[in-house]
Amino acid sequence: MTPLEAIRTATFNAARIMHAEQEWGSLQAGRQANVVIVAGNPAERISDTRKLETVILNGKILDRNSLRFDVKKDPGFRAVTGNFSSPIQ
């Protein structure tokens, strides 16, 4: 599977399987505005999906610092350790 096929499967095809293609799965006016903007070209290198620049949820840009794990604000969760910048083997 090419990176572009993987992206399509995770977006448009997933919406179609869920019978939600009129709501999400592609960038169009009137659809849910949930978008992840990355640095790079995931169609060429799927690992570029890890290079998050901006997250838009319900049409609003999320503050990346507020998304960071905080032991005090996130009870019951724990940080996962590991090297997540290298490609999955």
Side-chain angles (χ1 to χ4, degrees), residues 15-86:
R16 202 172 76 206
I17 289 168
M18 299 297 294
H19 304 287
E21 62 269 32
Q22 299 303 314
E23 300 169 36
W24 57 274
S26 60
L27 294 175
Q28 295 183 34
R31 303 277 172 98
Q32 289 184 7
N34 299 329
V35 180
V36 176
I37 300 171
V38 298
N41 185 350
E44 292 177 7
R45 288 172 307 282
I46 197 68
S47 62
D48 283 352
T49 57
R50 296 185 179 119
K51 300 176 183 175
L52 291 179
E53 288 288 323
T54 304
V55 176
I56 302 171
L57 180 63
N58 297 322
K60 296 182 181 178
I61 296 174
L62 298 182
D63 174 19
R64 291 186 65 189
N65 289 326
S66 70
L67 299 176
R68 296 195 187 281
F69 175 73
D70 182 338
V71 173
K72 294 176 185 170
K73 292 191 311 186
D74 302 316
F77 294 92
R78 64 179 175 78
V80 178
T81 60
N83 180 2
F84 296 102
S85 61
S86 66

